[in-house]
Amino acid sequence: EPSERVALSGISVTKNKVVLSLLDEVRTRLTSLSCSPDGAWACDPPEAREPLIGGLSLSAVDSDEGDAVWLVSWTHLQPHTLALASVENGVAGLASSARQLRALPPQFDASGIRVEQGHAISKDGTRVPYFVVRPDREGPVPTLLYGYGGFEISLTPSYMSTVGATWLERGGCFVEANIRGGGEFGPRWHRAALRDQRGKAYEDFEAVAEALVATGVTTHEQLACRGGSNGGLLVGNAVVRRPELWGAVVCAVPLLDMRRFNKLLAGASWMAEYGDPDTDDWAFLQKFSPYHNIDTKIKYPPILLTTSTRDDRVHPYHARAFVKRLEDEGVCDELLYYENIEGGHGGAADPKQQAFMTCLYIDFLVKTIGQGYAPFEEL
């Protein structure tokens, strides 16, 4: 049944079954319903396995003819795989009936890499889930923490082709945080970080960072955070609120000046999410405006900011102004800025540019949080 920690993510209908795809603690779980001759609906026996850290997509082959289904599955380490299966006996018999048909080729060597789920306790006691994709070795490793936390967008497991080939295969660790503001637990999880409650998302992100250090996954010196767009606002706040947490920060196509965001490009359409700075909302907006919260008395960790001249959603002014103020105040000794003249909000116009932008931030991470890490030194 739906609960605060279970959300409905999809419905599929066959001749005799209704199959529900659920996010249970951000893990995928299927359940099926059957209709008896008297018209009563009942749940079939559940799957024997634990909810999957990964994704499952199910659709009927022919809902008028039977209960055969196309089943697509994937994980952080396994690319999309297509199978033919049947829900005639409910989802309990799904795995045993599945016959693999096709699979996308792997894009990186996933041997020696494991996936785990952890939970951090945020400042107000909320349990915040996160996924850790890390080398199967003991001891702290350079770790990249990624987050978004806005617009009810869920960060669910997906195959990590690019990060896998450039970071995981080389011995790095990647963490995805399911902070408030997203949709992982439905609309309530999103509403919990709207407007004057935006700080909840940032507290969640900081709690995950602290948990990664406390559990020995990494150290503060080896921990970096990365986010883009609304995620750029997230990591912008991460660095000005808690600079001591981070060994490096990667901030892409970000919002950073919340006093002016509604005057630039598509910014006015986001006031329901953040607030209206031209009203009394500025009293809370200024608290999560990174540009206005730069502390001139401290030193910030290494920061890489990237944007695009042709971004038609988030104006490059945000990144430009933030870099200019950091430079003027002299509070960041390793401050890097790259502005692509093409690419729109995605920051790159074609695969070649995408590859360059990826290599840019990966090289930055290797030279900052990766210093002295033996697997990186061997490359």
Side-chain angles (χ1 to χ4, degrees), residues 287-345:
K287 296 177 182 178
F288 61 87
S289 181
Y291 177 82
H292 294 91
N293 287 292
I294 293 172
D295 189 337
T296 61
K297 299 181 180 64
I298 66 172
K299 285 290 186 180
Y300 289 101
I303 303 174
L304 169 65
L305 282 107
T306 63
T307 188
S308 168
T309 307
R310 296 189 180 182
D311 191 333
D312 58 359
R313 198 175 309 175
V314 178
H315 199 287
Y317 155 79
H318 287 274
R320 294 169 182 169
F322 192 69
V323 167
K324 180 67 165 59
R325 181 147 190 241
L326 288 172
E327 276 192 327
D328 289 348
E329 301 293 353
V331 290
C332 185
D333 292 334
E334 190 169 350
L335 177 62
L336 302 177
Y337 177 75
Y338 183 84
E339 181 172 323
N340 190 9
I341 63 172
E342 299 180 295
H345 192 51

Side-chain angles (χ1 to χ4, degrees), residues 7-309:
L8 178 67
S9 62
I11 300 175
S12 299
V13 179
T14 67
K15 183 177 182 180
N16 301 298
K17 302 288 183 181
V18 174
V19 182
L20 308 180
S21 178
L22 306 174
L23 277 182
D24 186 344
E25 285 291 334
V26 205
R27 296 179 177 219
T28 301
R29 176 164 62 86
L30 299 177
T31 188
S32 57
L33 307 174
S34 299
C35 185
S36 62
D38 63 2
W41 287 89
C43 288
D44 294 327
E47 290 184 281
R49 65 184 179 184
E50 289 292 311
L52 174 70
I53 299 180
L56 291 170
S57 173
L58 186 146
S59 60
V61 173
D62 188 334
S63 60
D64 294 325
E65 294 295 327
D67 297 311
V69 294
W70 303 115
L71 181 66
V72 179
S73 62
W74 63 91
T75 70
H76 290 97
L77 305 179
Q78 171 206 306
H80 287 62
T81 299
L82 172 66
L84 180 63
S86 174
V87 292
E88 181 180 2
N89 298 315
V91 294
L94 191 65
S96 60
S97 70
R99 177 167 60 90
Q100 182 174 321
L101 302 177
R102 295 286 180 88
L104 291 175
Q107 301 299 307
F108 66 98
D109 181 5
S111 61
I113 302 174
R114 67 177 187 262
V115 182
E116 304 164 341
Q117 186 180 40
H119 290 83
I121 305 301
S122 196
K123 186 176 181 179
D124 64 358
T126 300
R127 294 176 75 243
V128 181
Y130 59 91
F131 294 107
V132 180
V133 189
R134 60 163 296 158
D136 193 11
R137 63 166 62 91
E138 297 304 317
V141 298
T143 298
L144 175 59
L145 172 59
Y146 179 81
Y148 188 79
F151 298 92
E152 206 173 332
I153 294 174
S154 302
L155 295 186
T156 54
S158 60
Y159 183 60
M160 310 192 69
S161 54
T162 301
V163 172
T166 58
W167 184 249
L168 296 174
E169 194 177 81
R170 302 166 74 180
C173 171
F174 181 85
V175 179
E176 199 165 56
N178 304 114
I179 62 177
R180 281 174 284 186
E184 288 87 348
F185 298 116
R188 184 180 300 178
W189 195 247
H190 172 227
R191 291 195 298 267
L194 284 179
R195 294 171 53 83
D196 60 318
Q197 298 300 306
R198 202 70 187 178
K200 300 295 184 185
Y202 309 143
E203 290 169 2
D204 290 356
F205 199 62
E206 292 158 5
V208 173
E210 290 171 335
L212 293 172
V213 174
T215 55
V217 172
T218 191
T219 64
H220 291 303
E221 293 76 17
Q222 292 177 302
L223 177 61
C225 61
R226 177 176 177 261
S229 191
N230 174 74
L233 175 62
L234 168 68
V235 300
N237 274 285
V239 71
V240 299
R241 284 167 55 103
R242 297 288 304 278
E244 78 282 359
L245 287 180
W246 316 106
V249 174
V250 179
C251 187
V253 291
L255 286 86
L256 295 168
D257 181 349
M258 301 308 288
R259 185 68 184 88
R260 300 171 180 85
F261 82 94
N262 61 324
K263 303 291 197 301
L264 301 168
L265 300 177
S269 65
W270 309 325
M271 288 192 291
E273 183 84 8
Y274 301 124
D276 182 352
D278 295 326
T279 68
D280 291 343
D281 290 354
W282 176 240
F284 63 77
L285 272 163
Q286 63 183 322
K287 296 177 182 178
F288 61 87
S289 181
Y291 177 82
H292 294 91
N293 287 292
I294 293 172
D295 189 337
T296 61
K297 299 181 180 64
I298 66 172
K299 285 290 186 180
Y300 289 101
I303 303 174
L304 169 65
L305 282 107
T306 63
T307 188
S308 168
T309 307

Side-chain angles (χ1 to χ4, degrees), residues 357-371:
M357 297 301 291
T358 298
C359 291
L360 191 69
Y361 85 78
I362 291 293
D363 185 62
F364 170 72
L365 294 176
V366 170
K367 291 177 178 177
T368 51
I369 64 171
Q371 281 191 350

